Every structure is written in C-alpha cells, then in structure tokens.
Amino acid sequence: MAKKTIVVEQYASAARRPDVQRQTLIGLGLNKIRRTRELEDTPSVRGMVNAIPHLVRIIETRG
C-alpha cells in the first residue's frame, strides 16, 4: 500500500520573517522560492504547512 504524500512548494521569501517561520521552512526541506518537496502526509507535516500558509502551498496530493 502506497503512503499518502503531498507536494509542497515555497512561493514566498522567508526574508524579514520571524526565525521560527524560517526554521519551519528548513524543517520541511525548503529554503528557496519555487523549491518543491514531496513529503509524507502526516499530521505533523500538515501542521508545519498550516503554520506558514503565506510562504508555501500544497500543489499536489498523491496516494
């Protein structure tokens, strides 16, 4: 059985944002605009994405 994943893209800069938001981006594996990552769809990952909706967007859900 394949695991559910989401594809997350960073679309805004972390410049002039609180350090906590920058660290959340790094935790997701993002740190540059237009970079994408395919991540496992877990509550912790969703919580990280929901904490910085002004910086990232979910572009695809797989599984």
Side-chain angles (χ1 to χ4, degrees), residues 13-14 18 21 27 31 39 41-43 51-53:
S13 173
Q21 293 178 8
N31 63 353
L39 304 165
D41 191 5
T42 63
I52 51 172

Side-chain angles (χ1 to χ4, degrees), residues 10-62:
Q10 180 179 348
Y11 71 92
S13 173
R16 296 180 297 179
R17 302 287 181 189
D19 191 52
V20 134
Q21 293 178 8
R22 187 184 310 269
Q23 293 301 319
T24 302
L25 280 173
I26 292 169
L28 289 170
L30 303 168
N31 63 353
K32 295 188 181 200
I33 296 175
R34 293 194 200 100
R35 186 162 286 179
T36 61
R37 288 287 183 259
E38 184 173 355
L39 304 165
E40 191 173 342
D41 191 5
T42 63
S44 60
V45 170
R46 286 284 182 157
M48 292 170 77
V49 170
N50 290 337
I52 51 172
H54 52 287
L55 301 177
V56 299
R57 67 172 64 115
I58 297 174
I59 56 174
E60 188 177 348
T61 304
R62 298 180 182 164

